[in-house]
Amino acid sequence: MLLGIIALACLQQAPVFEPGTRVLAGDGAAGEGPAWHPTQGVFTSGRGGICRLTPKGESVLHRPNAGTNGLLFDRDGSLLACEPVLKRVTRTKPDGTLVVLTDSFAGKPYNQPNDLTVDAKGRIYFSDPRYGPRDGMEQRDSQGRTIEGVYRIDPDGKVTRVIGREVQRANGVLVSLDGKHLFVAFEVMPFDAVPVVGIVRIEVDARTAPADAIERLRRICEEYHGDHPVVVDIRTTGGQRRLRLGPAYRVRPRSEEHTSELQSH
């Protein structure tokens, strides 16, 4: 079972932290991936490496230049880490020995391994999105389309892609306690579609929309690369316009008049 978790940002939200919350490690020490160890403290990805908040409350740089993101201790006390900078997943044993678990799939390097989780059988699941420039992505399907999915590393070292283009930019991952469900937080790009959606329909009233609405729509249209058709109905001062997104179509904005033209390239 795959559950997509989509976070929507609101203009007004309740405070995230309780009153009196203290910052235990600042200055960029705790940007990602907290992992707790019963005697060594809390490990985080930050300052370009792995930081550690000791049981005494001291923040120290544990492993410089690690380039990590998601961190997690396994049952043996080894530190598992996604290393997006080096495009790999590693295990650091209690004695400090670093083992590369995987740095490629089907002979191609990963995008940016991001987060990981471990099930009761010791299998490691990790996500592999791509942030920033998208040129040079080598994880692709048989049709040459980019993949930002989820992979599983078995105890014997075998790596399997368990989720491909079913999601876009898979990020946080978590296995349920009973091992029956894999929860995946993934990003849905504006106007993009997941396979359960046959068609996406958007309505925009350019007559009352903010002045930059059409310009923003144009940028989103240029970045659209989904598999499903998207229909955009635009109400303008010149009447109703309909746009069916595809590789040959764009929106040319005239935001000063709150109107738009459809332009075929």
Side-chain angles (χ1 to χ4, degrees):
M1 179 179 181
L2 172 64
L3 298 181
I5 306 172
I6 307 171
L8 299 178
C10 299
L11 294 178
Q12 296 183 349
Q13 294 179 326
V16 176
F17 301 108
E18 292 291 335
T21 299
R22 296 183 297 115
V23 176
L24 300 179
D27 298 325
E32 292 280 358
W36 177 79
H37 189 279
T39 61
Q40 298 186 48
V42 180
F43 290 69
T44 56
S45 294
R47 298 176 185 165
I50 298 176
C51 299
R52 180 167 66 92
L53 182 66
T54 70
K56 294 183 179 181
E58 180 184 7
S59 180
V60 299
L61 186 58
H62 177 76
R63 179 185 152 200
N65 303 316
T68 57
N69 195 305
L71 303 174
L72 185 67
F73 282 98
D74 64 15
R75 65 180 63 185
D76 298 324
S78 296
L79 180 61
L80 305 174
C82 284
E83 302 187 10
V85 174
L86 295 178
K87 301 183 178 183
R88 66 186 189 179
V89 179
T90 63
R91 170 185 280 121
T92 302
K93 298 180 179 180
D95 64 3
T97 303
L98 189 147
V99 178
V100 177
L101 300 178
T102 181
D103 59 7
S104 63
F105 181 78
K108 302 294 184 180
Y110 294 108
N111 298 314
Q112 296 167 331
N114 182 279
D115 191 29
L116 42 72
T117 183
V118 182
D119 67 10
K121 297 179 180 180
R123 299 179 298 183
I124 302 168
Y125 295 82
F126 69 94
S127 58
D128 184 41
R130 175 65 174 262
Y131 293 95
R134 302 180 64 81
D135 54 316
M137 295 175 63
E138 296 192 50
Q139 287 300 326
R140 297 176 179 270
D141 65 8
S142 59
Q143 300 179 43
R145 301 174 301 180
T146 57
I147 295 176
E148 300 173 89
V150 178
Y151 300 81
R152 186 188 70 225
I153 307 174
D154 293 338
D156 63 3
K158 179 183 178 181
V159 181
T160 304
R161 180 188 289 144
V162 296
I163 299 176
R165 285 183 59 85
E166 291 85 356
V167 301
Q168 186 177 56
R169 283 187 181 171
N171 194 298
V173 289
L174 182 67
V175 175
S176 63
L177 187 61
D178 59 11
K180 294 181 179 180
H181 306 295
L182 174 64
F183 297 90
V184 180
F186 62 92
E187 181 175 346
V188 177
M189 298 292 286
F191 303 147
D192 209 11
V194 292
V196 295
V197 180
I199 187 169
V200 177
R201 189 176 300 277
I202 306 295
E203 291 187 359
V204 177
D205 191 339
R207 300 168 300 178
T208 58
D212 65 341
I214 301 301
E215 172 62 23
R216 291 163 58 189
L217 175 63
R218 180 190 65 80
R219 292 197 299 266
I220 292 171
C221 291
E222 289 181 345
E223 296 172 0
Y224 174 74
H225 57 276
D227 299 329
H228 298 275
V230 175
V231 172
V232 182
D233 289 323
I234 307 177
R235 296 182 180 180
T236 74
T237 54
Q240 187 87 357
R241 308 291 179 87
R242 171 161 291 183
L243 170 65
R244 183 181 177 90
L245 291 185
Y249 294 95
R250 296 292 182 263
V251 174
R252 176 193 296 170
R254 294 209 304 257
S255 57
E256 71 279 1
E257 300 177 15
H258 285 256
T259 64
S260 64
E261 295 181 28
L262 304 189
Q263 178 183 18
S264 178
H265 289 212

